[in-house]
Amino acid sequence: MSSKEPSITLYTTQTPNGIKISITLEELGIPYTVHKIDISKNTQKEPWFLAINPNGRIPALTDTFTDGQQINLFESGSIMQYLVARYDKDYKISYPPGTREFYEMNNWLFFQNAGLGPMQGQANHFTRYAPDIFEYGISRYQNETRRLYSVLNTHLSSKNIPYLTGTKCTIADIAHWGWIASAGWAGVDIDEFPALKAWEDRMAARPGVEKGRHVPDPHKIKELLKDKAKMERHAAEARKWVQAGMKEDAEKAASAKEQK
Amino acid sequence: MAKPIKVWMAPPGPNPWKVVLILEELDIPYEIVSFKFDDVKKKPFIDLNPNGRVPAIEDPNTGLTLWESGAIIQYLIEQYDTEKKLTYGDVIKKNQLNQWLMFQMSGQGPYFGQAGWFNVLHSEKIPSAIERYNTEVKRILSVLEGQLEGKQWLVGDKITFADLSFVTWNDRIDATLMCAPEKKFDGIPNVKAWHERMTSRPSWKKAMETRAKLMDEQGLQWNGMPKGINNMEEYEAKIKADAEARANGEAVG
C-alpha cells in the first residue's frame, strides 16, 4: 500500500537556509514535525544526523515515500524541488514541469544555491565570524554579494515583475528571502537596491512567509540589525562556536591525511 | 533530429564543461560559442545571462535560453534523456541525484572556487583564507569519499548526471590546492577510482580536447590567464588597459 499522506520531519535551525523549507511547507499548507538542531553544539555532526545528511548541514528532511519507505533529503534546493514535485499539485508556488517558467524558476533557484547563498555566507564569515579583521576578505565577498543583489534588482525592475519568475511567488523567491532579509548581517545595505527591497517587503507580507520564518525559533534578524550592541554580542557568541567547528574540521582533515 | 544546442562559454572555467560532458554522454548535437573571459559581463552575453557567468545555452528546438549549469543539466536530462541513460525513472533515486547535484553546485563549486582564488589567482597569499578554504575542500572530498565506500557511483549502480557534475572541479584539485598532481587524491582512494572511472570515458577526452583547442585559440595558459600574466589583479589590469586602448581606437593584441 503506498503512502499518499506526508509524514515530514524537518531538521532545522534558525538560519536563512532552514527557513526556506519551513516557508515552503507553510506556503503549501503541509503538516510537518520540527526537529531543532543545535548547531552551536555541533549536533549536525552526530552519527544519527549524518545518516540522514552525510554533509552534516541543515536543513534536512525525512518523509514517508510513496513506497511506504522513509526518504532522506538534504540540500535546501533539492528539498524544495522535492516538495513541489510531490505536493504542489495546484502549482501554488511552482510551475508545471516542462514549461518555460519551470526551467526559469530553477535557473533562479540554482542562482541562489550556488551563487548568492555561498557568497553572502562568506561575507558573513569575514564580516562577523573570522578571528581577525581581514579587510580584503570582507570587501571581496561584500562586493560579490552586492553584485548578485544588483542582478536581482535589475531583473525585477527592468522586467517590472513582482516575483522572480513573473507574477507568482515560487520556490526561487522563497530560497532568496531569508538571505535578502539578513543583508545587513553581511554588511550590505538593502536600501541600495530599491526593487529588491520592495520584493522583500512583498514577500514578508505573505502569510506563509510570516509563519514559516519563525521556525524553529523566532526570526529576529530585523530587530537584531537595528541594535548595534546586541548585534556585536550575537556575533561574538557565534564566533566562538564557528571557530571551534573550524578547528575540529581542520584537525579531522589533518588526521585523515596522516592515516593514509 | 534535433537542431544543435548553442553552448555559450569562456573556455577556462570548469562549469561549461559539466554541460558539455552531459551533451557528449547523451549524444545531443551542440555547437560551442567560445568567447573571451573579458566579455562575460558584457553584451551580447549578459542579454542571455544577466548574472554574467558561463555557461548559458540556447536550445533552438524548444526556444529556451537557460543559465546556471545545474539548471541546464536538469533541463537536458528531462528533455533529452528519454532512455534514462544518466538518470533514473524511480522518484527516490531521482531526488537523490538532485541532492548530490545541489551539493556540487552549492558546496564543491563555490568552495573549490574560493580555494583556487586564494591559492592561485589572488596576488597576495593570505594564510588564514587559504587554510579556511583548503580545509573546506578536504571536508567536501571526505563526504564524497564516505558516500563512495564500497560503491562505484554516488546513487545506484550506474553513472549519472550527479557523478559527472563533480568531475571538472575534482580534476583540478591539484591546481586548486597547489599540490603535486600525483598527490591530489592522497587519502581519498574511493574518490580517485571514481574520478578515473569517469575521466577514462570518451566524453571526458572529447571535452578536454575541445577545451585545449579553444584555450589555444585565445592564447591562454592552463589556468585561464593569458601567457605572461601571473595573477588575477594583473589580468584585470590588462582587461582594463585593453578596454581603454580600444576606446582610444588602438589595436589590441
Side-chain angles (χ1 to χ4, degrees):
Chain A
M1 184 58 213
S2 71
S3 156
K4 298 275 180 250
E5 292 303 313
S7 62
I8 293 172
T9 302
L10 169 62
Y11 300 85
T12 193
T13 193
Q14 180 49 262
T15 74
N17 287 332
I19 62 175
K20 288 175 186 176
I21 310 304
S22 44
I23 291 173
T24 302
L25 289 162
E26 293 296 343
E27 286 278 350
L28 290 172
I30 305 174
Y32 60 103
T33 306
V34 176
H35 186 130
K36 183 178 160 179
I37 300 290
D38 192 345
I39 50 179
S40 73
K41 299 205 174 90
N42 249 357
T43 310
Q44 76 281 12
K45 307 276 164 152
E46 289 172 10
W48 70 269
F49 186 77
L50 292 175
I52 298 170
N53 179 3
N55 191 31
R57 295 273 166 106
I58 65 96
L61 179 144
T62 57
D63 191 6
T64 305
F65 200 64
T66 47
D67 57 7
Q69 304 295 307
Q70 175 171 308
I71 180 168
N72 299 335
L73 293 154
F74 62 93
E75 280 289 324
S76 58
S78 155
I79 296 172
M80 294 173 98
Q81 287 188 329
Y82 166 80
L83 290 173
V84 294
R86 181 142 180 228
Y87 298 112
D88 192 13
K89 298 296 176 210
D90 303 327
Y91 305 114
K92 280 198 268 186
I93 51 165
S94 64
Y95 287 97
T99 59
R100 171 183 295 276
E101 290 82 2
F102 172 82
Y103 294 116
E104 285 168 356
M105 170 184 87
N106 287 333
N107 225 150
W108 291 105
L109 180 67
F110 273 93
F111 171 87
Q112 197 291 317
N113 277 274
L116 190 128
M119 293 301 107
Q120 189 170 333
Q122 302 316 300
N124 285 340
H125 177 81
F126 288 110
T127 309
R128 307 284 169 206
Y129 308 134
D132 312 302
I133 304 279
F134 168 37
E135 282 304 331
Y136 176 80
I138 295 172
S139 64
R140 168 173 170 79
Y141 295 107
Q142 285 186 352
N143 287 341
E144 179 62 6
T145 305
R146 277 196 198 93
R147 188 188 74 75
L148 294 162
Y149 275 43
S150 78
V151 169
L152 292 167
N153 191 65
T154 306
H155 175 69
L156 290 165
S157 62
S158 67
K159 296 208 163 59
N160 197 20
I161 43 178
Y163 296 105
L164 291 172
T165 23
T167 53
K168 180 156 73 178
C169 168
T170 69
I171 52 173
D173 297 281
I174 296 169
H176 281 85
W177 186 77
W179 286 92
I180 305 295
S182 50
W185 186 248
V188 173
D189 182 3
I190 189 66
D191 292 328
E192 288 174 33
F193 309 96
L196 189 59
K197 173 86 172 58
W199 167 91
E200 185 201 328
D201 296 341
R202 195 173 300 128
M203 288 291 290
R206 297 177 67 87
V209 174
E210 179 52 31
K211 214 165 159 207
R213 76 188 177 107
H214 299 297
V215 175
D217 300 313
H219 184 248
K220 288 191 284 205
I221 189 74
K222 288 287 172 198
E223 292 77 359
L224 189 65
L225 290 173
K226 284 185 200 132
D227 184 342
K228 283 263 179 315
K230 209 168 152 199
M231 202 156 103
E232 191 29 57
R233 279 201 305 278
H234 186 80
E237 270 305 301
R239 250 194 308 275
K240 271 191 247 158
W241 60 259
V242 168
Q243 286 170 23
M246 281 167 65
K247 203 168 151 240
E248 201 173 293
D249 279 347
E251 282 163 2
K252 251 187 240 158
S255 72
K257 197 129 209 190
E258 275 162 21
Q259 281 165 16
K260 300 287 170 170
Chain B
M1 187 63 200
K3 286 181 250 170
I5 293 175
K6 258 190 198 156
V7 183
W8 290 68
M9 67 158 77
N15 291 322
W17 301 103
K18 298 196 299 212
V19 170
V20 170
L21 280 182
I22 301 292
L23 291 164
E24 281 290 337
E25 286 282 346
L26 294 178
D27 210 10
I28 302 169
Y30 66 97
E31 58 189 7
I32 291 175
V33 186
S34 166
F35 58 93
K36 284 187 158 181
F37 173 74
D38 315 23
D39 296 330
V40 289
K41 300 223 168 72
K42 295 180 192 156
K43 279 176 178 288
F45 186 65
I46 54 163
D47 293 333
L48 297 179
N49 178 3
N51 192 30
R53 291 282 166 97
V54 292
I57 64 161
E58 287 179 289
D59 185 349
N61 303 293
T62 56
L64 184 70
T65 299
L66 209 59
W67 44 278
E68 278 290 330
S69 55
I72 295 171
I73 290 173
Q74 286 187 336
Y75 167 71
L76 292 175
I77 294 292
E78 281 167 42
Q79 188 74 15
Y80 294 103
D81 191 10
T82 46
E83 293 166 21
K84 312 261 184 279
K85 265 175 80 178
L86 299 178
T87 186
Y88 292 100
D90 154 12
V91 188
I92 286 209
K93 286 209 179 82
K94 208 172 111 183
N95 279 286
Q96 286 166 340
L97 292 180
N98 284 335
Q99 167 185 285
W100 287 104
L101 177 67
M102 286 280 182
F103 176 62
Q104 191 287 315
M105 293 296 295
S106 75
Q108 189 213 29
Y111 281 113
F112 278 48
Q114 300 319 303
W117 173 267
F118 283 107
N119 278 308
V120 184
L121 298 174
H122 186 44
S123 57
E124 193 191 338
K125 297 293 170 247
I126 301 152
S128 64
I130 289 174
E131 195 200 325
R132 167 174 172 76
Y133 293 109
N134 286 0
T135 301
E136 187 62 17
V137 165
K138 287 179 192 145
R139 192 191 70 77
I140 286 165
L141 289 169
S142 76
V143 172
L144 291 170
E145 181 70 9
Q147 176 69 14
L148 290 163
E149 188 62 42
K151 293 179 72 190
Q152 304 255 308
W153 307 108
L154 288 174
V155 178
D157 53 6
K158 70 175 182 195
I159 186 170
T160 64
F161 69 85
D163 297 295
L164 288 163
S165 72
F166 286 91
V167 189
T168 57
W169 274 111
N170 278 351
D171 201 58
R172 301 177 180 211
I173 293 171
D174 49 341
T176 305
L177 298 181
M178 296 277 271
C179 70
E182 66 276 14
K183 293 209 154 158
K184 73 177 175 186
F185 292 115
D186 275 8
I188 43 171
N190 298 333
V191 171
K192 178 172 195 276
W194 171 63
H195 182 74
E196 286 168 357
R197 223 167 277 137
M198 290 191 277
T199 54
S200 62
R201 296 172 75 89
S203 61
W204 175 259
K205 289 183 180 137
K206 176 80 191 301
M208 289 304 101
E209 276 165 25
T210 310
R211 180 176 184 269
K213 192 175 109 252
L214 297 177
M215 295 285 281
D216 195 52
E217 272 175 24
Q218 296 188 7
L220 297 174
Q221 311 174 72
W222 64 271
N223 60 10
M225 291 190 279
K227 287 161 189 161
I229 298 275
N230 299 311
N231 61 55
M232 205 60 192
E233 278 79 0
E234 281 181 32
Y235 191 20
E236 279 167 357
K238 181 184 184 301
I239 291 174
K240 200 164 160 246
D242 285 354
E244 279 162 11
R246 215 172 278 126
N248 295 332
E250 295 162 26
V252 172

